[in-house]
């Protein structure tokens, strides 16, 4: 294990209920402190005070606030239900708009717990190699499920379904990340409706004009 990995790893893995409850209190307190004060001012002293434990007890579980934020980000990733939502439609086809709406709605729901904390996790959370690998793996799992769904759905007319799967995954994830986490409120229902309309419209179109134009194109 590298020094960077050790810096972001929890120090203590709870084996008893009481210890697990203490860790949960630390993480809950940290989420509130980071959201309220920001990451720079969200000190371990403030986290310990909010969790009602001593700073020494906090350090028994986490070496620093980077490790706490890294675990919050990990739990956010583990709670992502978007891929599971897509897999529900493999064996029981539904109208394309229904599938896309369920997918978009799930991604939005995954990001509504605390937009301010989400913004901090996106912009400031330390990213170890292990964490980046997990993010990449989750992204490709989602793209793979979308690709399979698009290839098998009768309403999908876009021709390059492999590229379409990557575009849909990136569009939904990045748009929701940025708009939910950004300062200022956004109408979540309108966001969902507009994303669903945009994506279903794209997937149902075959763009014959573009395809014909490109078929006669040859690079110089």
């Amino acid at each position: 294990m590298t020094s960077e990995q050790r810096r972001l790893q929890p120090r203590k893995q709870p084996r008893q209920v009481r210890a697990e409850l203490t860790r949960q209190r630390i993480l809950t307190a940290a989420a509130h402190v980071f959201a309220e004060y920001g990451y720079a001012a969200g000190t371990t002293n403030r986290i310990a005070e909010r969790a009602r434990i001593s700073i020494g007890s906090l350090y028994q579980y986490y070496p620093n606030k980077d490790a706490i934020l890294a675990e919050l980000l990990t739990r956010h990733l583990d709670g992502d239900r978007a891929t599971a939502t897509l897999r529900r439609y493999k064996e029981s086809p539904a109208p394309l708009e229904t599938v896309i709406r369920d997918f978009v709605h799930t991604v939005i729901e995954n990001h509504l717990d605390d937009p301010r904390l989400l913004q901090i996790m996106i912009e400031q959370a330390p990213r170890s190699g292990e964490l980046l690998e997990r993010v990449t793996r989750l992204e490709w799992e989602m793209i793979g499920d979308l690709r399979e769904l698009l290839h098998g759905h009768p309403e999908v007319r876009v021709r390059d379904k492999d590229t379409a799967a990557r575009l849909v995954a990136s569009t939904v994830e990045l748009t929701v990340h940025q708009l939910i986490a950004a300062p200022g409120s956004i109408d979540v229902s309108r966001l969902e409706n507009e994303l669903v309309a945009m994506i279903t419209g794209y997937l149902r179109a075959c763009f014959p004009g573009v395809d014909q134009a490109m078929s006669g194109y040859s690079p110089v």
Side-chain angles (χ1 to χ4, degrees):
M1 182 182 293
T2 66
S3 59
E4 178 68 11
Q5 288 174 322
R6 283 194 297 270
R7 187 176 69 84
L8 299 179
Q9 285 290 325
R11 278 182 170 155
K12 185 176 183 179
Q13 292 296 335
R15 296 182 180 179
Q16 298 178 349
V17 173
R18 182 176 178 181
E20 176 58 29
L21 289 174
T22 300
R23 185 170 71 161
Q24 293 292 344
R25 284 170 60 189
I26 293 171
L27 292 172
T28 301
H32 288 298
V33 168
F34 290 149
E36 182 176 349
Y37 294 98
Y39 190 62
T43 63
T44 50
N45 283 322
R46 279 184 164 143
I47 295 170
E49 182 180 359
R50 182 69 63 93
R52 297 182 180 178
I53 62 173
S54 69
I55 189 67
S57 294
L58 183 147
Y59 284 135
Q60 288 179 7
Y61 291 84
Y62 298 97
N64 49 56
K65 68 178 182 179
D66 283 352
I68 297 174
L69 187 59
E71 180 144 350
L72 286 171
L73 179 56
T74 297
R75 292 191 173 209
H76 171 71
L77 294 173
D78 289 344
D80 194 324
R81 301 178 300 277
T83 299
T85 297
L86 290 170
R87 289 175 182 171
R88 287 205 304 267
Y89 292 101
K90 284 185 178 181
E91 303 301 329
S92 55
L96 182 63
E97 184 173 341
T98 299
V99 178
I100 297 302
R101 182 170 297 280
D102 199 4
F103 171 59
V104 170
H105 181 80
T106 302
V107 174
I108 291 174
E109 285 290 313
N110 286 343
H111 294 79
L112 287 181
D113 286 345
D114 195 322
R116 172 63 177 152
L117 177 62
L118 175 62
Q119 182 184 17
I120 291 170
M121 288 195 296
I122 292 171
E123 296 177 357
Q124 301 178 36
R127 289 167 172 80
S128 64
E130 181 182 356
L131 196 57
L132 289 173
E133 286 178 10
R134 181 178 298 189
V135 170
T136 300
R137 185 173 66 252
L138 289 173
E139 288 175 349
W140 281 107
E141 284 179 4
M142 180 184 296
I143 290 168
D145 287 315
L146 275 167
R147 184 188 296 118
E148 186 174 341
L149 190 148
L150 298 185
H151 275 286
H153 203 288
E155 291 183 53
V156 175
R157 300 180 65 203
V158 65
R159 300 192 178 188
D160 187 349
K161 295 177 177 61
D162 293 343
T163 299
R166 298 179 68 176
L167 285 174
V168 170
S170 296
T171 298
V172 175
E173 282 288 338
L174 292 176
T175 301
V176 172
H177 268 306
Q178 292 176 358
L179 295 184
I180 297 294
S185 60
I186 184 168
D187 187 309
V188 175
S189 295
R190 181 170 295 179
L191 172 63
E192 177 180 320
N193 289 336
E194 294 299 324
L195 270 175
V196 171
M198 179 175 67
I199 292 168
T200 52
Y202 161 64
L203 293 175
R204 286 170 175 161
C206 60
F207 306 109
V210 174
D211 288 344
Q212 289 171 9
M214 291 302 293
S215 65
Y217 171 77
S218 60
V220 176

